């Protein structure tokens, strides 16, 4: 019908208008955006969920995640799949330098280290955005798989 054709035409125009944009959280973001997104997938060891939550909360307080330092968001999502407790961290940083510094700082945080060594196995880290050579170098020192999804700088 004519209304369906008009709807398709409108949709095609919107896609065309957003051609130089990518979709992030259902909004258009500039394709040359310097933001870095981390998605860290972890399996929590049996019986360690409460301990992990406690260490994670204390680590976050100690690290003092704030927008002022370039951290735009930090979220933890818990799930249970196939009998395993899992945690997915979703982090967003203003630029590549911010997570590089955060990783260096976190290595000094006893609660972060306890959460990782005693409570979880990190399955993977996905890094989306223009990861700098410095960030990639820091992540090489970590003991888990890292996948780079965005452009390099």
């Amino acid at each position: 019908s004519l209304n369906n054709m008009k709807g398709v035409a409108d949709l095609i125009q919107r896609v065309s208008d957003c051609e130089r944009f990518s979709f992030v959280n259902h909004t258009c973001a500039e394709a040359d955006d310097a933001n870095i997104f981390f998605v860290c997938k972890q399996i929590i060891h049996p019986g360690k969920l409460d301990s992990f939550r406690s260490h994670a909360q204390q680590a976050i307080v100690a690290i003092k995640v704030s927008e002022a330092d370039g951290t735009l968001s930090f979220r933890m999502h818990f799930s249970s799949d196939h009998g395993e407790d899992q945690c997915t961290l979703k982090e967003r940083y203003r630029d590549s330098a911010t997570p590089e510094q955060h990783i260096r700082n976190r290595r000094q945080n006893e609660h972060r280290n306890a959460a990782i060594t005693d409570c979880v196995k990190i399955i993977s880290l996905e890094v989306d955005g223009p990861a700098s050579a410095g960030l990639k170098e820091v992540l090489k020192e970590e003991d888990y798989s890292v996948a780079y999804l965005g452009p390099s700088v």
Side-chain angles (χ1 to χ4, degrees):
S1 82
L2 192 54
N3 284 339
N4 286 344
M5 290 175 57
K6 170 92 170 95
V8 170
D10 287 344
L11 179 61
I12 291 170
Q13 182 60 48
R14 280 190 230 137
V15 169
S16 178
D17 289 344
C18 282
E19 207 167 43
R20 69 181 193 90
F21 295 91
S22 62
F23 286 95
V24 178
N25 293 333
H26 307 291
T27 61
C28 286
E30 293 279 344
D32 63 351
D33 191 354
N35 286 181
I36 297 288
F37 298 85
F38 279 12
V39 177
C40 183
K41 298 177 182 178
Q42 306 167 82
I43 293 177
I44 301 170
H45 299 312
K48 295 290 189 172
L49 180 59
D50 291 337
S51 180
F52 175 76
R53 285 180 190 251
S54 175
H55 284 301
Q57 287 173 338
Q58 293 176 59
I60 291 168
V61 169
I63 294 167
K64 297 180 181 167
V65 173
S66 74
E67 189 174 324
D69 73 355
T71 303
L72 303 177
S73 68
F74 182 91
R75 296 184 184 140
M76 286 183 158
H77 302 277
F78 291 92
S79 65
S80 189
D81 193 21
H82 305 294
E84 293 179 317
D85 289 321
Q86 300 176 9
C87 178
T88 301
L89 299 176
K90 295 181 178 180
E91 305 168 46
R92 181 178 171 214
Y93 300 100
R94 181 172 293 125
D95 55 30
S96 196
T98 302
E100 181 181 343
Q101 188 58 47
H102 273 272
I103 292 166
R104 292 180 198 281
N105 292 343
R106 287 178 188 161
R107 288 179 180 159
Q108 308 304 314
N109 185 292
E110 67 181 294
H111 294 291
R112 177 261 190 194
N113 295 336
I116 290 174
T117 59
D118 299 339
C119 302
V120 300
K121 177 180 180 183
I122 297 176
I123 301 302
S124 66
L125 173 66
E126 295 175 352
V127 179
D128 187 3
S132 67
L135 177 58
K136 288 181 177 182
E137 192 62 36
V138 167
L139 288 171
K140 279 184 189 176
E141 299 168 15
E142 296 295 307
D143 190 27
Y144 46 81
S145 170
V146 179
Y148 296 96
L149 307 176
S152 296
V153 290

